[in-house]
Amino acid sequence: MSNTQTARPLLDVRGLRHRFGTVTALDDVTFDIADNEFFALLGPSGCGKTTLLRAIAGFEQPEHGEILLDGADLASMPPHRRPVNMMFQSYALFPHLSVEKNVAYGLEAERRSRSEIQTRVGEALEVVGLATMAKRKPAQLSGGQRQRVALARAIIKRPRLLLLDEPLSALDRKVRAEMQLELKRMQREVGMTFVVVTHDQEEAMSMADRIAVLNAGRVEQLDTPVGLYSTPRTRFVADFIGTSNLFDGTADAAGIEVPGLGHFPGEHAVPAGRPASAVLRPEDMILGDPGTGRWTCTVIDTVFLGGGSTVSLAVDGHATPVTSVLHAATGLRPGDRVGVGWKSDRCVIVPGEVSSAVPQREAAVPAGISG
């Protein structure tokens, strides 16, 4: 008999339910977060992720369920007593105070000694790379630098758990990409558990160890970034994470039958005769000469993105264009005919129960592009 025991999670969320009038914000939400983990709550606007974050912080009181931190129930603990800090989307810096005074504010409110405050402020500013800007005011900083000040102020009190609500949404695309890497570095350096709320799948995928994808108040799937992308369990996750080619049909023992397009083989657990969807990522589509592959299609458009080309294709019998991603520039032009197939082991089949409302999100070219 093994003596190995599973470590208790730092945060354990059990069966949370919460409503605002007739709107269900959280619907039986259950998950746990390990110590020193970078965890993301990802989903479209209105899915419940910010309500969930506020419940952990103590700003919302769920109607049902438990939130345990280190095994202790947080329900009766007011926000200011919880070993949790929250960094808001707006940063909320004091414009009349210097960087170091903004960072020191929480410790000064606790009446810590001057020497302790000075030491910890210096350490926090070193971590966020602003040690040389301690005397500046927020108005003298860039958006990315102000974000770092807010982060230093949040980590200086050494909470067990740091909650970040859309922390990068105010930054432009280039600075946001840089800060994604910086946040991950800082999280490892300070040895703290981060929970970030975002609607940006690229942001979550680049930073988090694990991601909970929320939809209409429920956790659709909790997995690693690789797991979410390569093996989505629902049609919503397949469509929300990255770019997918989706084909709707009816499950059978060996795959699904799609009207007008034929049979898509693949392993699955959907009962025969039930609605199901085949998921094929753009990099798994194979283009060749007309007459090769599964179909012969017409090129609608091509876009060169530096590291590769995205090709949009019209498939007879399928209302939605199919997307393929190639490694380099392509000579294909609109109107060209090409043969289209896919890597046989890359077809993922998921249940077909999902509403017709598909969330809008910024398209991203998935990693691991292949021809």
Side-chain angles (χ1 to χ4, degrees):
M1 185 176 185
S2 173
N3 292 324
T4 302
Q5 293 183 343
T6 302
R8 184 174 68 189
L10 173 67
L11 186 76
D12 195 358
V13 175
R14 301 176 181 175
L16 284 197
R17 294 192 181 93
H18 194 59
R19 294 171 64 88
F20 295 103
T22 60
V23 177
T24 300
L26 300 175
D27 187 5
D28 196 23
V29 172
T30 298
F31 62 90
D32 58 61
I33 300 175
D35 199 12
N36 294 333
E37 185 173 19
F38 201 128
F39 192 90
L41 299 171
L42 173 66
S45 297
C47 71
K49 56 189 185 295
T50 296
T51 300
L52 179 53
L53 201 73
R54 289 174 59 83
I56 296 170
F59 302 131
E60 294 286 351
Q61 185 61 44
E63 297 169 358
H64 184 272
E66 293 180 306
I67 302 174
L68 308 178
L69 185 66
D70 275 333
D73 192 353
L74 296 181
S76 61
M77 196 178 297
H80 67 281
R81 294 291 184 189
R82 300 186 182 195
V84 173
N85 211 342
M86 187 164 178
M87 180 177 155
F88 294 96
Q89 186 175 345
S90 64
Y91 307 157
L93 302 180
F94 298 110
H96 62 290
L97 297 181
S98 66
V99 166
E100 61 184 359
K101 285 293 187 180
N102 266 283
V103 174
Y105 184 81
L107 297 183
E108 289 176 345
E110 294 178 349
R111 300 186 183 279
R112 301 295 181 112
S113 69
R114 181 172 297 181
S115 61
E116 180 184 1
I117 292 173
Q118 186 176 17
T119 298
R120 287 171 63 173
V121 168
E123 291 172 350
L125 291 179
E126 284 287 345
V127 169
V128 300
L130 293 178
T132 61
M133 300 183 184
K135 304 298 183 183
R136 294 190 186 183
K137 299 288 180 62
Q140 297 173 294
L141 304 176
S142 68
Q145 290 166 342
R146 287 194 293 271
Q147 197 263 0
R148 291 167 188 255
V149 176
L151 184 62
R153 187 176 60 185
I155 66 176
I156 197 170
K157 293 183 69 176
R158 299 171 182 169
R160 295 286 285 122
L161 189 67
L162 180 61
L163 310 176
L164 303 101
D165 187 9
E166 301 277 6
L168 308 181
S169 62
L171 306 179
D172 64 46
R173 186 175 181 85
K174 183 176 185 299
V175 176
R176 190 186 311 137
E178 293 170 354
M179 284 307 303
Q180 288 168 8
L181 298 176
E182 281 296 290
L183 270 178
K184 186 64 178 174
R185 177 192 65 79
M186 292 176 206
Q187 185 262 338
R188 288 174 175 163
E189 190 168 322
V190 299
M192 191 181 294
T193 302
F194 280 20
V195 180
V196 61
V197 156
T198 181
H199 65 275
D200 187 327
Q201 46 123 346
E202 184 178 318
E203 188 172 296
M205 298 282 278
S206 66
M207 295 191 297
D209 300 311
R210 288 190 304 151
I211 301 169
V213 179
L214 276 73
N215 179 32
R218 298 183 66 88
V219 176
E220 288 265 336
Q221 186 171 341
L222 196 165
D223 214 328
T224 63
V226 172
L228 288 173
Y229 186 80
S230 60
T231 54
R233 298 193 195 113
T234 70
R235 194 182 190 281
F236 176 87
V237 172
D239 191 59
F240 192 74
I241 299 294
T243 302
S244 293
N245 297 304
L246 296 169
F247 305 90
D248 300 323
T250 304
D252 59 31
I256 72 169
E257 187 70 26
V258 178
L261 297 180
H263 192 262
F264 288 62
E267 297 182 0
H268 62 86
V270 183
R274 299 287 295 174
S277 298
V279 182
L280 287 166
R281 297 295 187 181
E283 66 271 23
D284 295 325
M285 307 303 294
I286 302 171
L287 305 189
D289 295 330
T292 64
R294 179 69 175 261
W295 315 299
T296 295
C297 305
T298 303
V299 175
I300 299 172
D301 197 10
T302 64
V303 178
F304 180 59
L305 298 173
S309 298
T310 299
V311 183
S312 182
L313 303 155
V315 180
D316 292 341
H318 190 58
T320 305
V322 167
T323 301
S324 177
V325 172
L326 308 178
H327 261 311
T330 176
L332 292 173
R333 296 291 180 267
D336 288 350
R337 299 284 283 172
V338 294
V340 179
W342 63 83
K343 299 175 183 178
S344 59
D345 62 339
R346 298 299 300 141
C347 182
V348 177
I349 296 174
V350 298
E353 66 261 13
V354 66
S355 70
S356 59
V358 177
Q360 299 297 313
R361 79 274 187 216
E362 186 175 13
V365 178
I369 296 171
S370 61

